[in-house]
Amino acid sequence: MTFKNPCKPVVLTGDRPTGPLHLGHYVGSLKNRLDLQNRTQPHDIYIMVADTQALTDHFEQPNLVRQCTLELVKDYLAIGIDPEKTTMFIQSQIPELCELTTYFMNLVTVSRLERNPTVKSEIQQKGMQESLPAGFLCYPVSQAADISAFGLPESGNILVPVGQDQMPMIEISNEIVRRFNRLYGPCLQEATGVLSPTARLMGIDGQNKASKSLNNAIYLKDSKDILREKVFQMYTDPGHIHVQDPGKVEGNMIFHYLDAFAPDQEQVHAFKTHYEKGGLGDVVLKKYLFSVLDDLLAPIVEKRHTVRDQDAMEILMEGSKQARQRVQEKMKHVRAAMQLDYSKPMATDPGLHPQVSL
Ligand code: TRP
């Protein structure tokens, strides 16, 4: 059989620069990005620092967003994202993405945006119920633009490695893309989310998912001492008081993290059996988990120290230049499809169906 699609698959993803990356990001999405980057079949990979999106809920802290933009790229470089293979860029440096967002705004209803479960819980969490900025409600529309601006007709669906919480964004993005194509002609490609087996990593408190705002996450840049402190603070089984007591594995954060990170899952299985029977203390397990996480994080922390701010910024500026050229090319097709290319006569395409309703 001949290989029908010699074009590289396109990958686009990103993060809001509002704080350092943590282990939840690592298992949820960063590991998949590294796997895609290091495949033998090359992929066309873009990773975006979503500063414009970060401003939708941090518009009062532009300095924080600016500072975190650099930190985010240092995190990417530290885990092994390679600027030779992956284009890293800044969202705001591609104004065409705002333009595409504006066109997309017409293709989705306010009530559809209000039904997005991720946005709904963010509104709750941030206490935005009373005064919801329009920009925040609409960030999934700009995310649809971020994704679809990178598609190529011959490369199939755009792959988007993200955490589970981003799946509603991909759904809305695909609805917008299908509507666009029906109205203006086939121009945009749909997206496929790439999820990891650990869709959701809990925080060390065992109560919520790992998150910066809840201060319950282990950061990729945490030093050995901080890592040890956090592992030893982890929520385990409050009923497991004496070493010989039988302990609970379910809801126990040590096992939750071992499931996600320990390379030797047979050992983890043996620990679980022993713990449930009784006779295995938390301290032994915490020491083991510390060594597992330290093996992962120590080289990342070390690499991070070697990245100079100036180099990180140069990588971003060069990446932004390349990404912008790519988007500018795409936008020519978008504008032509929408009858906005005034250098050409208006297309009288009988295939257009302007009566398509939302
Ligand atoms: N919403 C993502 C986050 O919260 C960031 C993001 C913006 C993104 N645009 C994207 C992710 C496009 C994937 C694709 O971190």
Side-chain angles (χ1 to χ4, degrees):
M1 201 177 83
T2 52
F3 190 45
K4 287 252 177 56
N5 184 2
C7 278
K8 292 189 246 180
V10 177
V11 180
L12 180 291
T13 187
D15 302 280
R16 289 182 205 167
T18 54
L21 294 177
H22 53 66
L23 286 178
H25 296 115
Y26 189 82
V27 280
S29 151
L30 300 173
K31 212 165 162 299
N32 276 338
R33 299 179 197 181
L34 284 170
D35 289 347
L36 287 165
Q37 175 187 271
N38 299 328
R39 292 246 174 111
T40 35
Q41 185 206 3
H43 286 53
D44 196 8
I45 309 181
Y46 293 87
I47 300 185
M48 181 181 74
V49 180
D51 60 342
T52 309
Q53 188 175 113
L55 286 169
T56 63
D57 64 336
H58 287 75
F59 53 87
E60 286 163 320
Q61 292 152 281
N63 294 7
L64 174 101
V65 173
R66 171 81 180 250
Q67 209 177 356
C68 292
T69 291
L70 195 67
E71 294 299 317
L72 194 54
V73 174
K74 288 165 86 172
D75 279 340
Y76 292 155
L77 295 168
I79 62 163
I81 298 291
D82 176 356
E84 298 287 320
K85 297 183 184 159
T86 295
T87 307
M88 288 170 269
F89 70 96
I90 307 180
Q91 186 183 22
S92 65
Q93 300 310 294
I94 308 191
E96 290 79 8
L97 294 176
C98 298
E99 182 189 347
L100 188 57
T101 303
T102 303
Y103 303 147
F104 279 1
M105 288 286 194
N106 304 324
L107 308 181
V108 63
T109 62
V110 172
S111 68
R112 176 68 182 91
L113 293 173
E114 283 169 343
R115 282 203 306 275
N116 183 313
T118 299
V119 175
K120 263 183 27 200
S121 69
E122 284 178 300
I123 290 171
Q124 282 263 323
Q125 236 183 44
K126 296 171 199 290
M128 282 177 169
Q129 297 94 325
E130 298 302 309
S131 66
L132 175 63
F136 190 77
L137 180 68
C138 297
Y139 86 71
V141 184
S142 96
Q143 193 156 331
D146 303 335
I147 299 170
S148 51
F150 285 85
L152 295 175
E154 59 282 10
S155 294
N157 275 21
I158 302 150
L159 304 177
V160 188
V162 277
Q164 177 78 45
D165 64 329
Q166 296 298 301
M167 292 311 278
M169 313 305 160
I170 292 178
E171 207 178 294
I172 287 193
S173 178
N174 286 342
E175 286 169 22
I176 291 175
V177 162
R178 287 195 288 269
R179 203 156 281 149
F180 185 102
N181 290 343
R182 273 206 314 267
L183 275 167
Y184 307 123
C187 181
L188 302 175
Q189 288 67 45
E190 291 187 38
T192 303
V194 180
L195 288 176
S196 81
T198 310
R200 197 179 129 99
L201 188 76
M202 295 294 286
I204 58 172
D205 58 1
Q207 308 303 309
N208 296 286
K209 77 169 198 176
S211 106
K212 180 181 55 81
S213 46
L214 297 167
N215 198 25
N216 63 0
I218 295 174
Y219 297 111
L220 302 181
K221 64 174 193 176
D222 278 347
S223 68
K224 252 187 223 306
D225 288 343
I226 294 178
L227 175 64
R228 190 179 293 108
E229 217 173 279
K230 288 184 178 174
V231 168
F232 276 79
Q233 271 170 20
M234 262 190 189
Y235 179 85
T236 61
D237 170 10
H240 185 243
I241 297 164
H242 307 291
V243 173
Q244 62 274 21
D245 293 343
K248 271 209 252 27
V249 165
E250 182 87 10
N252 185 322
M253 287 308 105
I254 305 183
F255 288 109
H256 180 65
Y257 276 71
L258 286 177
D259 284 344
F261 296 101
D264 184 355
Q265 286 296 318
E266 264 175 43
Q267 173 68 74
V268 175
H269 184 73
F271 276 147
K272 283 182 183 169
T273 314
H274 192 177
Y275 195 75
E276 282 175 329
K277 214 170 80 209
L280 181 59
D282 280 8
V283 172
V284 172
L285 287 173
K286 284 180 170 174
K287 282 188 176 154
Y288 180 68
L289 176 60
F290 170 75
S291 78
V292 164
L293 294 180
D294 188 46
D295 284 348
L296 173 71
L297 293 184
I300 296 177
V301 172
E302 198 180 316
K303 173 95 190 276
R304 205 176 195 284
H305 285 310
T306 68
V307 181
R308 294 188 315 162
D309 286 6
Q310 195 193 340
D311 296 338
M313 197 37 87
E314 261 170 35
I315 288 169
L316 274 179
M317 294 326 283
E318 179 53 34
S320 300
K321 209 168 88 192
Q322 285 175 19
R324 186 167 186 199
Q325 278 168 3
R326 165 79 168 248
V327 172
Q328 281 175 328
E329 204 46 48
K330 185 83 183 178
M331 287 307 288
K332 285 185 195 158
H333 298 283
V334 167
R335 290 190 205 108
M338 294 184 72
Q339 307 289 7
L340 295 169
D341 182 350
Y342 290 93
S343 70
K344 293 198 186 117
M346 185 171 76
T348 46
D349 182 349
L352 290 183
H353 301 291
Q355 70 278 15
V356 170
S357 60
L358 289 184

mmCIF file of all heavy atoms in Angstrom, residues 68-80 88 300 303-305 307-309 312:
data_model
loop_
_atom_site.group_PDB
_atom_site.id
_atom_site.type_symbol
_atom_site.label_atom_id
_atom_site.label_comp_id
_atom_site.label_asym_id
_atom_site.label_seq_id
_atom_site.Cartn_x
_atom_site.Cartn_y
_atom_site.Cartn_z
ATOM 1 N N CYS A 68 5.269 35.745 33.031
ATOM 2 C CA CYS A 68 4.990 34.303 32.926
ATOM 3 C C CYS A 68 5.213 33.787 31.516
ATOM 4 O O CYS A 68 5.452 32.596 31.316
ATOM 5 C CB CYS A 68 3.570 33.994 33.383
ATOM 6 S SG CYS A 68 3.332 34.242 35.144
ATOM 7 N N THR A 69 5.139 34.673 30.530
ATOM 8 C CA THR A 69 5.381 34.267 29.143
ATOM 9 C C THR A 69 6.791 33.696 29.011
ATOM 10 O O THR A 69 6.997 32.624 28.448
ATOM 11 C CB THR A 69 5.181 35.473 28.201
ATOM 12 O OG1 THR A 69 3.784 35.775 28.193
ATOM 13 C CG2 THR A 69 5.643 35.198 26.785
ATOM 14 N N LEU A 70 7.733 34.413 29.598
ATOM 15 C CA LEU A 70 9.125 33.962 29.541
ATOM 16 C C LEU A 70 9.322 32.686 30.355
ATOM 17 O O LEU A 70 9.990 31.742 29.921
ATOM 18 C CB LEU A 70 10.031 35.080 30.066
ATOM 19 C CG LEU A 70 11.494 34.929 29.744
ATOM 20 C CD1 LEU A 70 11.729 35.078 28.251
ATOM 21 C CD2 LEU A 70 12.314 35.960 30.514
ATOM 22 N N GLU A 71 8.712 32.664 31.527
ATOM 23 C CA GLU A 71 8.853 31.489 32.403
ATOM 24 C C GLU A 71 8.299 30.239 31.733
ATOM 25 O O GLU A 71 8.832 29.150 31.873
ATOM 26 C CB GLU A 71 8.118 31.736 33.736
ATOM 27 C CG GLU A 71 8.726 32.842 34.570
ATOM 28 C CD GLU A 71 10.172 32.565 34.964
ATOM 29 O OE1 GLU A 71 10.463 31.420 35.351
ATOM 30 O OE2 GLU A 71 11.017 33.479 34.848
ATOM 31 N N LEU A 72 7.188 30.424 31.010
ATOM 32 C CA LEU A 72 6.544 29.288 30.340
ATOM 33 C C LEU A 72 7.485 28.674 29.303
ATOM 34 O O LEU A 72 7.646 27.454 29.224
ATOM 35 C CB LEU A 72 5.254 29.785 29.676
ATOM 36 C CG LEU A 72 4.256 28.760 29.190
ATOM 37 C CD1 LEU A 72 3.876 27.791 30.284
ATOM 38 C CD2 LEU A 72 2.988 29.466 28.680
ATOM 39 N N VAL A 73 8.143 29.537 28.531
ATOM 40 C CA VAL A 73 9.048 29.022 27.510
ATOM 41 C C VAL A 73 10.242 28.342 28.159
ATOM 42 O O VAL A 73 10.739 27.325 27.656
ATOM 43 C CB VAL A 73 9.513 30.156 26.588
ATOM 44 C CG1 VAL A 73 10.548 29.673 25.619
ATOM 45 C CG2 VAL A 73 8.332 30.666 25.830
ATOM 46 N N LYS A 74 10.679 28.879 29.290
ATOM 47 C CA LYS A 74 11.784 28.212 29.990
ATOM 48 C C LYS A 74 11.345 26.826 30.466
ATOM 49 O O LYS A 74 12.114 25.868 30.393
ATOM 50 C CB LYS A 74 12.272 29.083 31.148
ATOM 51 C CG LYS A 74 13.040 30.298 30.635
ATOM 52 C CD LYS A 74 13.227 31.353 31.676
ATOM 53 C CE LYS A 74 14.442 31.140 32.527
ATOM 54 N NZ LYS A 74 14.690 32.306 33.416
ATOM 55 N N ASP A 75 10.103 26.711 30.912
ATOM 56 C CA ASP A 75 9.575 25.385 31.276
ATOM 57 C C ASP A 75 9.567 24.456 30.062
ATOM 58 O O ASP A 75 9.968 23.303 30.146
ATOM 59 C CB ASP A 75 8.135 25.496 31.816
ATOM 60 C CG ASP A 75 8.071 25.924 33.280
ATOM 61 O OD1 ASP A 75 9.083 25.786 33.990
ATOM 62 O OD2 ASP A 75 6.996 26.377 33.716
ATOM 63 N N TYR A 76 9.099 24.958 28.927
ATOM 64 C CA TYR A 76 9.056 24.125 27.707
ATOM 65 C C TYR A 76 10.454 23.612 27.355
ATOM 66 O O TYR A 76 10.661 22.441 27.085
ATOM 67 C CB TYR A 76 8.546 24.910 26.496
ATOM 68 C CG TYR A 76 7.092 25.342 26.515
ATOM 69 C CD1 TYR A 76 6.670 26.453 25.785
ATOM 70 C CD2 TYR A 76 6.133 24.636 27.223
ATOM 71 C CE1 TYR A 76 5.349 26.860 25.768
ATOM 72 C CE2 TYR A 76 4.800 25.036 27.215
ATOM 73 C CZ TYR A 76 4.413 26.155 26.487
ATOM 74 O OH TYR A 76 3.110 26.554 26.464
ATOM 75 N N LEU A 77 11.407 24.550 27.359
ATOM 76 C CA LEU A 77 12.775 24.169 26.984
ATOM 77 C C LEU A 77 13.348 23.188 27.993
ATOM 78 O O LEU A 77 14.026 22.225 27.629
ATOM 79 C CB LEU A 77 13.660 25.412 26.872
ATOM 80 C CG LEU A 77 13.276 26.391 25.756
ATOM 81 C CD1 LEU A 77 14.016 27.720 25.927
ATOM 82 C CD2 LEU A 77 13.568 25.800 24.378
ATOM 83 N N ALA A 78 13.026 23.405 29.276
ATOM 84 C CA ALA A 78 13.577 22.542 30.331
ATOM 85 C C ALA A 78 13.085 21.098 30.197
ATOM 86 O O ALA A 78 13.830 20.165 30.462
ATOM 87 C CB ALA A 78 13.213 23.102 31.702
ATOM 88 N N ILE A 79 11.837 20.902 29.759
ATOM 89 C CA ILE A 79 11.350 19.513 29.650
ATOM 90 C C ILE A 79 11.817 18.845 28.356
ATOM 91 O O ILE A 79 11.635 17.654 28.171
ATOM 92 C CB ILE A 79 9.814 19.392 29.747
ATOM 93 C CG1 ILE A 79 9.114 20.137 28.603
ATOM 94 C CG2 ILE A 79 9.302 19.837 31.102
ATOM 95 C CD1 ILE A 79 7.681 19.718 28.414
ATOM 96 N N GLY A 80 12.392 19.636 27.450
ATOM 97 C CA GLY A 80 12.933 19.009 26.240
ATOM 98 C C GLY A 80 12.215 19.390 24.959
ATOM 99 O O GLY A 80 12.431 18.774 23.921
ATOM 100 N N MET A 88 7.756 27.547 18.822
ATOM 101 C CA MET A 88 7.098 28.165 19.980
ATOM 102 C C MET A 88 6.861 29.637 19.665
ATOM 103 O O MET A 88 7.764 30.302 19.155
ATOM 104 C CB MET A 88 7.983 28.019 21.218
ATOM 105 C CG MET A 88 8.025 26.603 21.743
ATOM 106 S SD MET A 88 9.292 26.367 23.010
ATOM 107 C CE MET A 88 10.678 25.862 22.003
ATOM 108 N N ILE A 300 15.096 18.262 34.801
ATOM 109 C CA ILE A 300 14.323 19.404 34.275
ATOM 110 C C ILE A 300 14.788 20.691 34.964
ATOM 111 O O ILE A 300 15.046 21.711 34.311
ATOM 112 C CB ILE A 300 12.797 19.176 34.478
ATOM 113 C CG1 ILE A 300 12.333 17.960 33.664
ATOM 114 C CG2 ILE A 300 12.003 20.427 34.129
ATOM 115 C CD1 ILE A 300 10.871 17.598 33.827
ATOM 116 N N LYS A 303 18.266 21.619 33.696
ATOM 117 C CA LYS A 303 18.235 22.184 32.348
ATOM 118 C C LYS A 303 17.703 23.617 32.383
ATOM 119 O O LYS A 303 18.184 24.504 31.680
ATOM 120 C CB LYS A 303 17.344 21.285 31.463
ATOM 121 C CG LYS A 303 17.053 21.789 30.072
ATOM 122 C CD LYS A 303 18.034 21.216 29.049
ATOM 123 C CE LYS A 303 17.943 21.874 27.708
ATOM 124 N NZ LYS A 303 16.904 21.343 26.846
ATOM 125 N N ARG A 304 16.705 23.834 33.230
ATOM 126 C CA ARG A 304 16.084 25.154 33.323
ATOM 127 C C ARG A 304 17.108 26.225 33.705
ATOM 128 O O ARG A 304 17.065 27.349 33.208
ATOM 129 C CB ARG A 304 14.965 25.116 34.358
ATOM 130 C CG ARG A 304 13.898 26.159 34.138
ATOM 131 C CD ARG A 304 12.799 25.988 35.143
ATOM 132 N NE ARG A 304 11.610 26.735 34.740
ATOM 133 C CZ ARG A 304 11.499 28.034 34.861
ATOM 134 N NH1 ARG A 304 12.486 28.750 35.348
ATOM 135 N NH2 ARG A 304 10.389 28.648 34.464
ATOM 136 N N HIS A 305 18.040 25.838 34.599
ATOM 137 C CA HIS A 305 19.064 26.797 35.035
ATOM 138 C C HIS A 305 19.982 27.220 33.897
ATOM 139 O O HIS A 305 20.603 28.274 33.961
ATOM 140 C CB HIS A 305 19.913 26.198 36.160
ATOM 141 C CG HIS A 305 19.192 26.163 37.471
ATOM 142 N ND1 HIS A 305 18.556 27.263 37.992
ATOM 143 C CD2 HIS A 305 18.975 25.160 38.361
ATOM 144 C CE1 HIS A 305 17.989 26.950 39.142
ATOM 145 N NE2 HIS A 305 18.213 25.666 39.383
ATOM 146 N N VAL A 307 19.045 27.808 30.811
ATOM 147 C CA VAL A 307 18.359 28.609 29.790
ATOM 148 C C VAL A 307 18.413 30.080 30.176
ATOM 149 O O VAL A 307 17.926 30.470 31.246
ATOM 150 C CB VAL A 307 16.878 28.165 29.633
ATOM 151 C CG1 VAL A 307 16.193 28.979 28.553
ATOM 152 C CG2 VAL A 307 16.781 26.682 29.330
ATOM 153 N N ARG A 308 19.006 30.891 29.316
ATOM 154 C CA ARG A 308 19.081 32.329 29.608
ATOM 155 C C ARG A 308 17.816 33.021 29.116
ATOM 156 O O ARG A 308 17.271 32.667 28.059
ATOM 157 C CB ARG A 308 20.296 32.946 28.915
ATOM 158 C CG ARG A 308 21.627 32.428 29.468
ATOM 159 C CD ARG A 308 22.763 33.218 28.878
ATOM 160 N NE ARG A 308 22.590 33.398 27.443
ATOM 161 C CZ ARG A 308 23.220 34.312 26.717
ATOM 162 N NH1 ARG A 308 24.060 35.141 27.286
ATOM 163 N NH2 ARG A 308 23.013 34.395 25.413
ATOM 164 N N ASP A 309 17.375 34.040 29.853
ATOM 165 C CA ASP A 309 16.159 34.781 29.490
ATOM 166 C C ASP A 309 16.226 35.269 28.047
ATOM 167 O O ASP A 309 15.275 35.159 27.277
ATOM 168 C CB ASP A 309 15.991 36.019 30.388
ATOM 169 C CG ASP A 309 15.541 35.630 31.782
ATOM 170 O OD1 ASP A 309 15.471 34.411 32.058
ATOM 171 O OD2 ASP A 309 15.287 36.536 32.593
ATOM 172 N N ALA A 312 15.665 32.527 25.544
ATOM 173 C CA ALA A 312 14.258 32.104 25.529
ATOM 174 C C ALA A 312 13.440 33.114 24.721
ATOM 175 O O ALA A 312 12.590 32.739 23.901
ATOM 176 C CB ALA A 312 13.734 31.995 26.959
#
